[in-house]
Amino acid sequence: MTPEALAALHARAFAPARGWRAAEFAALLESPHVFAVGDTRAVALGRVAAGEAELLTLATDPDHRRCGRARACLAAFAAEARARGATEAFLEVAADNAAARALYAADGWTETGRRPGYYPRGEHPAVDALVLARRLT
């Protein structure tokens, strides 16, 4: 996928918040450690270094949610991360994102830490980020 297509999907998936811009995706994808799996309906962006993978973002078009696309992207992310030598993966998710937390729990991710007040919520108090991990072997 092009950086422009990734940005368009990300904007739809995370509206009304600001999605990542095409330039941000382009900069990430310049690294040989970063990869994207999925299509224009759902995508996972990951990075592997020193045997560890990080799920940078998982975005699903709102018109294609609850169809198994995010679960398929997680499986593809894990497979690609393993192929690149990762044995463990990490991600951050907003504590108030119940749907994502349920998806990750069903995929075997467990909470290993918390970043207080990590995600701004405009006029509302910021929300904690949960750090989740999963073995890939």
Side-chain angles (χ1 to χ4, degrees):
M1 288 180 66
T2 67
E4 292 77 18
L6 289 166
L9 172 58
H10 208 261
R12 288 189 307 277
F14 290 96
R18 181 185 79 78
W20 295 359
R21 295 185 173 96
E24 293 168 310
F25 279 107
L28 284 166
L29 291 168
E30 286 178 6
S31 169
H33 304 289
V34 175
F35 60 93
V37 292
D39 58 28
T40 58
R41 297 167 294 187
V43 69
L45 188 74
R47 171 174 39 213
V48 173
E52 293 182 349
E54 180 183 9
L55 180 64
L56 299 170
T57 192
L58 177 64
T60 303
D61 186 298
D63 292 339
H64 296 281
R65 290 186 179 148
R66 311 279 312 154
C67 298
R69 299 199 190 287
R71 188 175 312 278
C73 282
L74 281 179
F77 162 81
E80 181 63 23
R82 277 192 299 274
R84 290 171 176 246
T87 58
E88 190 166 21
F90 298 89
L91 64 82
E92 293 172 349
V93 63
D96 63 352
N97 189 339
R101 291 178 60 195
L103 172 70
Y104 296 137
D107 195 50
W109 296 80
T110 58
E111 184 177 339
T112 61
R114 182 179 288 256
R115 299 182 197 281
Y118 187 79
Y119 291 105
R121 292 294 191 254
E123 295 179 12
H124 302 284
V127 173
D128 293 354
L130 306 181
V131 179
L132 308 182
R134 177 184 183 270
R135 299 285 305 160
L136 296 175
T137 56

